[in-house]
Amino acid sequence: MGKFMTMPKLDMSMEEGIIVDWLVKKGDKIQRGDIVVEIETGKLSLEVDNPAADGTVLELYAAAGDTVKVNEPIMYIGEPGEVPPTVGKKSPVDEAKQERVEAVEEASASYDLAVIGGGPGGYVCAIRAARLGARVVLFEKDSLGGVCLNRGCIPTKALVRNAEAWQEVLNAGPMGISLSDPSFDWEKILERKDRVVNTLVSGVEGLLKKNNVEIVRAEASAGADGIITAAGKTWKAENIVLATGTKPLEIPFDNDGSVRIYNSAELLAEKKLPESIVIVGGGVIGVEMASIYSSFGVKVTIVEMLDSIIAAADAEVSELLRAELVKSGVDIRTSTGFRAVKDGRAVLADGSEIAAGAVLIAVGRQPVLDGLSPEAVVKLDSKGFIETDDTLGTSAENIYAIGDITGICQLAHVASKQGLQVAEHLFNGKTEKINYNAVPSCIFTKPEIAWVGMTEAEAEEKGLPVKVGKFPFKAIGKALAGGEAGGFVKVIVDERWDEILGVHIIGAHASDLIAEAGAAVHLESTSEELAAAVHAHPTLSEALMEACEAVRGKAIHF
């Protein structure tokens, strides 16, 4: 005789839960304690184990996306050949499948918004529009969350944290901690990275379903008059948002096949660490991967055509990052290009050769237009990105574009903000514009760097009279106590009005500290106003306060 697994009560106030995803299927043999399902309570999403019995999964009484009351059956576990009990007249799974088929068949009736692309711009736009009362359908051919969640921001940040933890172990001696024969397991590190990604992907799906956004898992093509085709069917929407993002840019080079060539997505999935890697491109992806891989003992070489890495950053920040990477063992070759792979070596434009166990091409990204055919209905710029106006509308009526595909600013947080802007414009009548001058940029190297607003050189190019305040972390108590005293905060102001034009940070937790600076730039604050705000002690944020004081020669601790 088999046993039911029922919807568990995961917190004191829980009355029902949403099946986010089944981690088993009918016919699977499972044991008590095996993780079998992910459930969302409205407060959190948790992977839940089988509390019932050992046996075979004979029936699933609820499908992904279904809401089930606490203590109602969700699974039946028994022996092969046993007939599972029927709950209701028809299996809930069969009913759910039928409902989805009927919903898709009716989909062409009337949608207020169709979003093509489920990344940080697309899914945020869909949810906000749905909360504003719109009927929304979202198309995604791959995993929800886009490149950022699946092959970019999140998986790399998981690896960054592992790299930090490993370096903390290796450098624990000055902290008075002795460890004998430490080691790491790269496959387990990747497993952790994948668990983080999968948890967040499931969370995005749960949020979309909770907000009644219909999800169509297929490549979609947007045409004229609000018609979308996908999986051999058609949908019609009053408005369409294109949010299909970008993909790694490819470059031509001679390759004899002696070295494995990766793009960033492929490298994140590689199960083994190479002994050495040549990274072509000294931008964000290049330096982050260099920092991660060098932390785990890989011999890393960065090849960059420009005369500096992270060319968009303040010159002093870029130079200090270069010095820190070199100190960690990274070889940096600037002012030269990558030409070929020959006999296990990377051949550079200056004629030099570097032994390479692998090569990562990280020279930029290009817009994803596959399957969309937007060139037939929207105007593209000279680089192939979709042109938009102040409302993110395209040249085609009722078609909008957000995120990396616009080429405005290729950052996940910008895509999300653009998604909110379009939803508010369409369904709440708001036309508020994004202040792109106040968008923070963060690079998760060791040390981190972050900035917002103008660099000193950009301000001078615009003919603005500037003053600079600079303060080192080595003069901050929290930084010294934490063993993270490298780096500085640099504040650039307009000398006439003291308005903060830009803030540049290199050091521990720069990506967190930049938020305050971003708010200051957005609000057109002065350095005197920011310095007047009391900053808690001991914290790293005191460095920003002191840098603002330094603009007027009033810094206390340096």
Side-chain angles (χ1 to χ4, degrees):
M1 182 69 177
K3 289 189 176 182
F4 289 103
M5 176 181 174
T6 61
M7 173 62 72
K9 190 176 181 67
L10 299 177
D11 61 61
M12 294 297 293
S13 62
M14 179 178 171
E15 295 181 356
E16 60 186 19
I18 299 172
I19 303 292
V20 175
D21 191 23
W22 281 106
L23 308 179
V24 296
K25 61 183 182 299
K26 288 173 66 171
D28 284 354
K29 290 184 178 181
I30 61 174
Q31 295 180 327
R32 175 182 281 183
D34 288 349
I35 301 297
V36 294
V37 65
E38 185 175 354
I39 294 172
E40 181 186 340
T41 70
K43 294 182 178 179
L44 72 167
S45 181
L46 294 173
E47 292 182 341
V48 178
D49 64 277
N50 160 35
D54 298 350
T56 300
V57 178
L58 300 181
E59 185 62 273
L60 302 177
Y61 293 108
D66 287 350
T67 300
V68 183
K69 293 182 183 288
V70 169
N71 295 327
E72 285 191 355
I74 59 174
M75 179 169 66
Y76 188 82
I77 305 159
E79 297 298 324
E82 183 181 348
V83 178
T86 299
V87 177
K89 294 182 180 180
K90 185 187 286 188
S91 163
V93 174
D94 292 337
E95 289 181 350
K97 289 179 179 177
Q98 182 61 32
E99 289 174 0
R100 287 183 177 79
V101 170
E102 292 172 355
V104 169
E105 291 175 347
E106 295 174 0
S108 61
S110 60
Y111 283 89
D112 300 303
L113 178 67
V115 180
I116 302 178
Y123 84 75
V124 167
C125 181
I127 290 172
R128 176 59 62 86
R131 289 180 178 176
L132 291 170
R135 187 182 181 198
V136 184
V137 57
L138 181 144
F139 299 85
E140 175 54 63
K141 65 179 181 179
D142 200 348
S143 297
L144 292 168
V147 170
C148 171
L149 181 45
N150 292 277
R151 298 175 294 279
C153 316
I154 299 304
T156 53
K157 299 308 99 61
L159 293 180
V160 164
R161 181 64 194 107
N162 277 98
E164 289 172 345
W166 177 238
Q167 288 299 307
E168 287 168 3
V169 168
L170 294 180
N171 298 295
M175 295 289 187
I177 300 171
S178 298
L179 299 169
S180 61
D181 196 25
S183 64
F184 66 86
D185 186 323
W186 184 248
E187 288 193 8
K188 288 185 177 180
I189 288 172
L190 294 184
E191 287 171 6
R192 173 184 172 273
K193 178 258 295 181
D194 292 339
R195 284 196 304 273
V196 170
V197 169
N198 292 337
T199 297
L200 292 172
V201 169
S202 296
V204 170
E205 183 169 6
L207 284 170
L208 288 166
K209 290 177 177 177
K210 183 178 180 180
N211 287 279
N212 299 314
V213 175
E214 182 174 341
I215 303 169
V216 178
R217 296 185 179 279
E219 183 173 336
S221 176
D225 301 323
I227 300 298
I228 304 102
T229 59
K233 299 179 181 179
T234 61
W235 284 257
K236 183 172 177 58
E238 291 297 317
N239 301 282
I240 298 172
V241 170
L242 305 176
T244 50
T246 56
K247 61 184 178 181
L249 185 66
E250 298 179 356
I251 57 173
F253 59 91
D254 294 329
N255 181 9
D256 66 1
S258 60
V259 177
R260 175 73 187 273
I261 310 296
Y262 296 89
N263 61 34
S264 55
E266 294 165 342
L267 189 61
L268 285 170
E270 178 53 56
K271 299 297 184 184
K272 292 184 179 180
L273 282 173
E275 291 187 5
S276 61
I277 187 168
V278 173
I279 298 176
V280 182
V284 176
I285 295 173
V287 296
E288 283 193 356
M289 296 307 292
S291 187
I292 292 168
Y293 272 64
S294 63
S295 294
F296 289 108
V298 177
K299 174 59 181 174
V300 178
T301 302
I302 295 176
V303 178
E304 170 56 55
M305 290 188 66
L306 300 178
D307 58 7
S308 67
I309 58 172
I310 310 298
D314 181 85
E316 286 187 275
V317 170
S318 175
E319 189 55 40
L320 180 54
L321 177 63
R322 177 177 184 144
E324 291 296 324
L325 288 172
V326 170
K327 188 187 300 183
S328 70
V330 178
D331 181 12
I332 300 178
R333 311 283 186 94
T334 51
S335 303
T336 188
F338 172 68
R339 289 292 176 264
V341 167
K342 182 178 180 181
D343 298 329
R345 304 178 72 81
V347 182
L348 307 188
D350 61 9
S352 61
E353 298 184 5
I354 307 166
V359 171
L360 167 64
I361 304 298
V363 294
R365 301 184 66 83
Q366 57 186 336
V368 173
L369 305 177
D370 301 344
L372 284 173
S373 300
E375 61 270 15
V377 291
V378 300
K379 186 178 180 180
L380 307 180
D381 66 18
S382 59
K383 295 182 179 180
F385 292 95
I386 297 176
E387 291 189 357
T388 58
D389 59 23
D390 288 343
T391 67
L392 296 167
T394 70
S395 59
E397 186 177 3
N398 297 331
I399 296 182
Y400 297 78
I402 62 175
D404 289 3
I405 200 171
T406 66
I408 296 172
C409 187
Q410 294 184 37
L411 295 168
H413 42 288
V414 170
S416 294
K417 194 67 175 177
Q418 289 176 333
L420 296 175
Q421 179 188 350
V422 170
E424 291 286 345
H425 169 68
L426 290 175
F427 304 109
N428 204 19
K430 292 186 176 180
T431 57
E432 183 178 354
K433 299 176 185 177
I434 296 172
N435 180 4
Y436 292 106
N437 291 326
V439 171
S441 296
C442 306
I443 304 179
F444 297 83
T445 44
K446 183 68 174 177
E448 288 185 358
I449 67 175
W451 71 88
V452 63
M454 299 182 197
T455 65
E456 188 174 358
E458 287 171 341
E460 290 173 351
E461 285 175 9
K462 292 179 180 292
L464 300 176
V466 298
K467 290 183 68 176
V468 175
K470 189 175 170 184
F471 195 85
F473 281 111
K474 67 182 181 181
I476 295 295
K478 177 69 179 295
L480 283 172
E484 301 173 316
F488 58 82
V489 177
K490 181 177 182 179
V491 176
I492 300 158
V493 305
D494 188 314
E495 187 175 16
R496 296 166 297 179
W497 335 113
D498 191 39
E499 179 184 347
I500 298 174
L501 301 176
V503 176
H504 305 266
I505 306 174
I506 178 167
H509 304 286
S511 60
D512 300 311
L513 296 173
I514 202 64
E516 181 184 5
V521 173
H522 179 73
L523 295 172
E524 300 180 348
S525 299
T526 66
S527 68
E528 185 173 11
E529 288 171 332
L530 197 154
V534 178
H535 289 64
H537 174 78
T539 66
L540 298 179
S541 69
E542 292 173 278
L544 178 56
M545 175 190 69
E546 291 271 26
C548 286
E549 294 281 29
V551 170
R552 295 177 305 284
K554 291 185 176 183
I556 294 295
H557 293 95
F558 190 76

